[in-house]
Amino acid sequence: MKVRFGIHFRLLAAGFAIIVVTTLILGIMGARISRQFVQTRFDDRIAFLTQQLALNAELGILIDDRDMLKRLTVNLLSEKDLAAVSVYDRSGQKLAESTRETAGSILFKEYPVILRETEEEIRAFAEQVHGIPTGENVIGRVRVAYSTRGIDQLIVTLRSRFVLLSIALVVLVGVVFYFLSHSLVAPVTNLAAAARRVAKGDMKFRADPGRLPETRELALAFNTMLDSLEQSRRAFEKVQEEMMRRNTLAEMGKFSLMIAHEVKNPLSVIKTSLDLLKKEEGLAENTMILYMEEEVRRMNRLIEDFLAFARPSRPVFRELEINDLLRGIVARFQMQHGNVPLDVSLKCLEEDCLIEGDPDLLTRAVDNILKNAFEANGEKGRIAVTLDRSGDRVSVEVKDNGGGISADAREKLYEPFFTTRSRGTGLGLAYVLQVVEAHGGHMKEGNHPEGGAVFRIELSAARSSRPA
């Protein structure tokens, strides 16, 4: 199985490799430069000491004062890192030497002892001392043996400290690089997590833009893409719902033809037969006959509701006075339910208000809303109808004191055949929406703070009735 490392790991690995390689190169070069520098300074120091010994030993070699030369070697041997100091004459005979035990590698440094007088002085002096030939001024040599142990220990100390410093530097830079790479990778990781969350169906989730300009731009582009997808999805769902609605209406239109011929006509025959039985047989007060008549009327209303929704009439527009239209609707509704404890109040406008609409369709639509309010109240209680106007918009509001509209029911309120009651077709509000949209209006629904449901029909006032 092939292992794939993420960006975070790759950045850390690359940064760590760069730091380690750079540290090693700098360490090796630094150690070499340090050793060369220290070695050069050490060699210069030993050379200087050797030169000073050669200068001081000149007189002792000339007069062959070995005690003096011995003191010079002993004094010089007090210097650190020196192992042995020797003085030789011209012929190579050792005149004085001092030694001590010293660990480490031993190196040697030699320097000639030169007579510094003039040629005449050398000639005069050489005839008296050691028989030095005229014209030659090298009268001996000095030799210094020294140990490199101090240098080696210094280099080891420098290397150990450099290693510790390098480790600390690697750790420090590694921590800094970790947080730096994390700040770079975290927005990408969050964006990937957001993509997975959206892929699981959470289309409302949006990625955090972050602080980095590049990742912020990427996250904003991602969110813009999600917004576009959400808008496209909603548009598609709306088109799909509209297509389903049109298909449903088309099928209902076909079915309504069959209902009209195969069901409504037999119901008319049954109703006519019941009327004849009541007259000829004297069964007007018969309970069974009354039940049969009630069921026939109920079935007939259901069929009429279905036919009205399945085969909507095209509105015939004309100017209507909305106050008079509502007064007539409420009066007929009260007359139909005069035997129940129901209070229907109507608040009209103080001035006349004209609208353009079909009186039959609007009457049936408002009557359906009143019927729903009546049933929501349990066929009793109070229904408030309020007419209002704002600019060129006219609204009809119907409020009941029932249980209100639940959140689940609100989403499907205007769908055909949806109902929360055991009886009914669920076509009342669907028909109301159909009529209102045919008039270029809008439907709004909600719950009143004091309890009960509120339905509002918004229509446009007629041009002749609009404020100047």
Side-chain angles (χ1 to χ4, degrees), residues 75 79 465:
N75 290 336
E79 290 289 334
S465 182

Coordinates of all heavy atoms in Angstrom, one line a residue, residues 75 79 465:
N75 N 63.2 28.6 32.2 CA 62.2 29.7 32.2 C 61.2 29.5 31.1 O 60.0 29.8 31.3 CB 62.9 31.0 32.1 CG 63.7 31.4 33.4 OD1 63.4 30.9 34.5 ND2 64.7 32.2 33.2
E79 N 56.2 27.9 30.2 CA 55.1 28.2 29.3 C 54.3 27.0 29.1 O 54.8 25.9 29.0 CB 55.6 28.7 27.9 CG 56.2 30.1 27.9 CD 55.2 31.2 28.2 OE1 54.0 31.0 27.8 OE2 55.5 32.3 28.7
S465 N -58.1 53.9 -8.4 CA -58.2 54.1 -7.0 C -56.9 54.3 -6.3 O -56.8 54.4 -5.1 CB -58.9 52.8 -6.4 OG -59.1 53.0 -5.0

